């Protein structure tokens, strides 16, 4: 009877709180003149507010607030955030509870990554299919296969008209139950493209060239880009099926971009854009099938800190990352990879070999994982050095895998040198993985 009375009391308490909350919300709307509607699992307060004239606020004006207690509603939250300024729209989701709230800039992302797409599907087929199952589709970005240009790479990026449209599409697709062309697709947010200010872009003199044939050489690319004006190309750095073309002067880079975009080199129609500069102090550049480790910038034509003058740095506008043929929408920022540690969280000891390959961003760790998977002893690294003409110490590692005993090559050394030990080790591991991956009887 006591428990029954307690339950009854709790139920009555919830009803009373609900009545008070409803009254408070009505009072808030009457006071502010805002409307409130409920749609798609969220309550929308405003959007626009009363008396608003002109277009909605531009991108970058929204913040995301997480970990809101379940019993806190607009009547308490709106006044808190109005201290910062006039609210255009307040959308309250109902699934967060408990701890201190967290506030960060909302990523106004309008692009989804769609994986596990049949490789024979063309852009038009993917675009039409996505329009059938989701709303607000604007475009589909599809990358041709590196070795067979008639096929795609098994993934695509779908651009939506707004962040809301992309979020709704992700909500519909994310359960993993929807099949396209008889395949269960993979869905995630595409990594947002970092904005580069116009002033910085005005100084870029490097072009990003994609959709090249694997067999196309750097000399061929340089010769093709020199055709419209001989001697304008400083150097070319090619990685798999894309390259960076460095020019002596920006005006020549801009002219070459206009002339060469859409041209065929070795039978492949290339795409040419200005390369976007990167912050070498904070960016972990990716390219191992492809990953580029920090410290190996000089291998790709990026200048070293010791250079007497600064040269243009470049990267593709949207570079997909592949490890073992699997696609990642892009390199996540460190902040977005971390989660808060709260008291009471249970930690379970595990072996790194029980994880999946997607958990490794370091090529050296990936090689160690690869060797364990094939029942080999761990790789052995041997460091060598030389001195450049200008007196710099240059380093290279040789990698030995003694367990390979079937007659295959068991040592590997890249043909490029690095200025740091970390860069040399990563490069050697990348080089080794690349060569081991060419052998079908080795399990990647």
């Amino acid at each position: 009877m006591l428990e029954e009375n307690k339950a009854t009391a709790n139920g009555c308490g919830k009803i009373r709180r609900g009545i008070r909350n409803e009254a408070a919300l009505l009072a808030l709307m009457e006071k502010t003149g805002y409307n409130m509607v409920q749609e798609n699992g969220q309550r929308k307060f405003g959007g626009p507010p009363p008396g608003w004239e002109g277009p909605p606020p531009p991108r970058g004006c929204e913040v995301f607030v997480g970990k809101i207690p379940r019993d806190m509603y607009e009547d308490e939250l709106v006044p808190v955030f109005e201290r910062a300024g006039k609210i255009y729209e307040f959308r309250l989701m109902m699934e967060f509870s408990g701890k201190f709230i967290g506030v960060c800039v909302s990523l106004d992302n309008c692009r989804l990554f769609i994986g596990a797409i049949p490789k024979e599907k063309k852009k038009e087929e993917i675009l039409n299919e996505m329009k059938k199952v989701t709303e607000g589709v604007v475009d589909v970005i599809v990358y041709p296969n590196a070795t067979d240009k008639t096929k795609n790479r098994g993934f695509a990026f779908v651009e939506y008209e707004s962040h809301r449209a992309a979020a709704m599409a992700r909500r519909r697709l994310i359960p993993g139950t929807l099949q396209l062309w008889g395949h269960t697709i993979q869905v995630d947010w595409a990594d947002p493209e970092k904005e580069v200010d116009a002033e910085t872009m005005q100084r870029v003199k490097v072009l990003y060239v994609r959709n090249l044939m694997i067999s196309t050489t750097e000399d061929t690319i340089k010769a093709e880009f020199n055709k419209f004006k001989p001697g304008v190309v400083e150097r070319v750095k090619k990685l798999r099926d894309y390259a960076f073309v460095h020019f002596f002067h920006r005006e020549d880079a801009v002219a070459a971009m206009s002339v060469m975009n859409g041209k065929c080199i070795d039978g492949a129609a290339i795409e040419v854009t200005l390369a976007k500069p990167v912050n070498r102090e904070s960016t972990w550049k990716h390219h191992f099938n492809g990953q580029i480790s920090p410290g190996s910038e000089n291998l790709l034509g990026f200048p070293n800190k010791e250079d007497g003058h600064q040269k243009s740095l470049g990267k593709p506008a949207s570079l997909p990352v592949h490890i073992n043929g699997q696609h990642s929408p892009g390199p996540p920022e460190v902040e977005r990879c971390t989660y808060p540690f709260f008291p009471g969280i249970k930690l379970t000891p595990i072996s790194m070999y029980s994880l999946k390959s997607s958990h490794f961003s370091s090529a050296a760790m990936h090689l160690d994982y690869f060797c364990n998977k094939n029942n080999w002893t761990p790789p052995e690294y041997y460091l060598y050095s030389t001195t450049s003409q200008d007196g710099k110490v240059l380093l290279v590692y040789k990698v030995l895998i003694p367990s390979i005993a079937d007659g295959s090559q068991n040592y590997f050394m890249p043909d490029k040198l690095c200025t740091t030990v970390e860069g040399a080790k990563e490069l050697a591991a990348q080089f080794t993985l690349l060569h081991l991956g060419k052998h079908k009887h080795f399990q990647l």
Side-chain angles (χ1 to χ4, degrees), residues 18 67 72 80 86 91 102 108 164 205 222 230 233 269 276 282 296 337 346 352 357 361 372 406 414 428 440:
K67 304 173 187 174
M72 185 174 285
V80 171
K86 186 176 179 64
R91 300 193 306 276
D108 196 4
R164 182 181 181 280
K205 54 183 180 178
K222 186 173 184 179
V233 178
K276 289 193 174 183
S282 62
S296 60
C337 294
K346 182 180 179 182
M352 60 172 278
S357 60
S361 60
N372 180 270
D406 62 349
K440 294 182 178 179

Side-chain angles (χ1 to χ4, degrees), residues 32 37 48 52 54 64 102 109 128 137-138 151 169 172-173 187 204 321 324 339 349 360 363 373 379 393 410 413:
T32 61
V37 296
W52 183 273
F64 168 78
N109 198 348
N128 291 335
V137 177
V138 174
K151 297 181 178 179
R172 169 163 168 69
L173 300 172
V187 182
V204 173
V321 182
N324 284 347
Y339 293 84
F360 303 106
K373 192 173 183 179
V393 176
N410 65 356
M413 179 184 284

